[in-house]
Amino acid sequence: MKEPSPPSEPEVTASGQGGLPEEGRSSGAPRPIKKRVLFAAKLLLSLALIAWIIGAVDWSDIGERIAQMSWVFIAVAILILVQGVVCSAMKWQQLLAVHGAPYRLWTLIRWYFIATFFGQFLPSMIGGDAYRIYRTLDNPAGKMSAVLAIFVERATGLLALVSMGWLAGVIYYGQTGDVVARWLMIVGSCGAVFAIASFVVIIKFKLLGKIARAPKCPKNVRALIERAWEYRRSPWRVTAVCLLSLWFHATRVGIYAMLFWALGEPQGVIPVLIAITLTTVVSMIPISLNGYGLVDGSFILLMVGFGASEEAATAVMVLFRGTTIPVSAVGGVFYFADNGSKPPRKSEAAGAIRAEERTGE
């Protein structure tokens, strides 16, 4: 029996993230038109930004730089990206286990590669996160666990990157007085104060418990709050997830820094980290198609402001985009190879570890 195609209903953001289909969604006529108009607007903006990038640099110089560099660096970059997928799958595994839904790591690695494939080549149709939710939706612990695990994985990753970027901004501002680093430091500090204050208020006044016990609290919100409390019982797993997030982004920054060095124009790790942090935040703005053009242009402008040449910054983005293609293609191989596998079942979610096989849980 062939594996059923993933649901096409989940909406997908520009960063490739998706959610569950909404029950009882109204089928008003304007919605398909609005979706097509929005898609067209994002596509036009991405094409315009890419055209601007193409016309702003000397491509003969970029070609010479790339031709002169050792392709060993490309191979190393690809290997680092592969380990990044494995690292992310390990995070996903730990978060599912927190909710009592243990999965085999190899199963999650395959699904994460497939999700990467969808996010790279089909950003506006399915989305990698939607596929991962779909694959674990019928896990032994319930549907809410599948959704919450993806959300927390994304949130911890973003928190780790922003924390690293904020620290880099503080250091770089102290060294150079750079205006971008100053604003990153100010905005990051304000955000941290607000987040910590909100957390203290929530804990002190037990707001989550009060919300969950409120008679008018929606059933899904109550279930979400109850599931969220499970993280308090798994401090070591949560710590492991945070450390894996830091490692993932540190290696990603290393790829960019290595490519600058390979092109003969080395840049410091700190400005590269600041640029990646800000471009990641920019990529969350849903105004372009999967961030194409918007992310690239933002990174180039930031790195030029930090002292890199336009040609070197553009070459790094071209090389990074290029190295993601073979890594994503691995997911395509896994997807088509999985066509003969069994679909998820409520009785035993595909890839989940049965209770009698668990050890050390």
Side-chain angles (χ1 to χ4, degrees):
M1 180 184 298
K2 289 190 176 182
E3 175 185 315
S5 299
S8 58
E9 190 64 25
E11 293 193 15
V12 181
T13 66
S15 59
Q17 300 179 7
L20 291 176
E22 298 177 9
E23 297 295 336
R25 176 181 289 169
S26 62
S27 56
R31 185 167 184 81
I33 297 177
K34 288 174 62 177
K35 290 177 69 174
R36 286 196 291 267
V37 171
L38 182 60
F39 174 81
K42 291 180 179 181
L43 178 61
L44 288 175
L45 179 60
S46 290
L47 292 175
L49 290 171
I50 292 173
W52 169 73
I53 293 171
I54 291 174
V57 296
D58 183 356
W59 286 95
S60 61
D61 179 62
I62 292 175
E64 291 178 3
R65 288 172 181 254
I66 294 177
Q68 292 174 2
M69 68 177 288
S70 173
W71 290 99
V72 172
F73 295 105
I74 302 299
V76 172
I78 292 174
L79 290 176
I80 295 176
L81 288 174
V82 169
Q83 72 84 34
V85 174
V86 175
C87 178
S88 298
M90 292 172 66
K91 283 180 55 181
W92 189 19
Q93 182 191 42
Q94 293 299 316
L95 291 170
L96 286 169
V98 166
H99 299 299
Y103 276 77
R104 296 179 179 87
L105 180 59
W106 174 241
T107 300
L108 297 181
I109 290 174
R110 288 191 296 107
W111 290 347
Y112 213 108
F113 268 110
I114 294 172
T116 304
F117 169 73
F118 285 144
Q120 179 73 19
F121 297 106
L122 303 172
S124 63
M125 295 175 61
I126 300 175
D129 289 349
Y131 177 81
R132 290 195 291 140
I133 291 174
Y134 159 76
R135 292 304 296 168
T136 57
L137 197 59
D138 290 321
N139 67 77
K143 296 179 180 180
M144 186 63 70
S145 300
V147 178
L148 192 57
I150 301 299
F151 173 79
V152 174
E153 185 220 337
R154 289 293 186 182
T156 53
L158 180 62
L159 179 61
L161 177 60
V162 171
S163 299
M164 295 168 63
W166 174 84
L167 181 59
V170 172
I171 295 173
Y172 198 68
Y173 177 71
Q175 293 176 343
T176 65
D178 181 79
V179 63
V180 173
R182 181 182 66 186
W183 279 108
L184 176 59
M185 180 180 65
I186 294 173
V187 174
S189 298
C190 293
V193 170
F194 176 79
I196 294 173
S198 300
F199 180 77
V200 170
V201 170
I202 289 172
I203 297 299
K204 181 176 179 60
F205 296 98
K206 301 179 180 180
L207 296 183
L208 291 180
K210 292 179 180 179
I211 293 174
R213 290 190 297 270
K216 295 184 179 181
C217 179
K219 183 180 178 181
N220 289 339
V221 174
R222 183 178 295 110
L224 181 63
I225 293 174
E226 292 173 353
R227 285 294 188 184
W229 282 111
E230 294 176 353
Y231 291 100
R232 296 184 63 183
R233 300 197 297 266
S234 302
W236 293 111
R237 292 190 188 277
V238 173
T239 301
V241 167
C242 294
L243 292 176
L244 286 169
S245 296
L246 292 171
W247 172 256
F248 172 85
H249 289 294
T251 57
R252 185 163 168 249
V253 171
I255 293 176
Y256 283 88
M258 179 188 68
L259 292 176
F260 271 114
W261 186 77
L263 291 168
E265 195 170 312
Q267 300 295 319
V269 172
I270 289 179
V272 171
L273 176 54
I274 294 173
I276 292 176
T277 300
L278 294 176
T279 53
T280 300
V281 174
V282 168
S283 72
M284 299 172 65
I285 305 174
I287 59 175
S288 65
L289 190 62
N290 205 35
Y292 291 121
L294 182 63
V295 170
D296 311 79
S298 300
F299 179 82
I300 292 169
L301 288 176
L302 285 167
M303 290 308 303
V304 169
F306 291 140
S309 66
E310 289 185 348
E311 285 70 25
T314 304
V316 167
M317 283 305 305
V318 170
L319 289 170
F320 186 83
R321 290 286 193 185
T323 54
T324 61
I325 293 176
V327 177
S328 302
V330 173
V333 174
F334 282 138
Y335 177 70
F336 292 110
D338 275 358
N339 276 345
S341 64
K342 295 181 180 180
R345 295 177 298 163
K346 290 185 178 181
S347 59
E348 180 186 337
I353 302 175
R354 294 190 297 269
E356 60 269 23
E357 297 178 1
R358 300 176 195 171
T359 57
E361 292 293 336

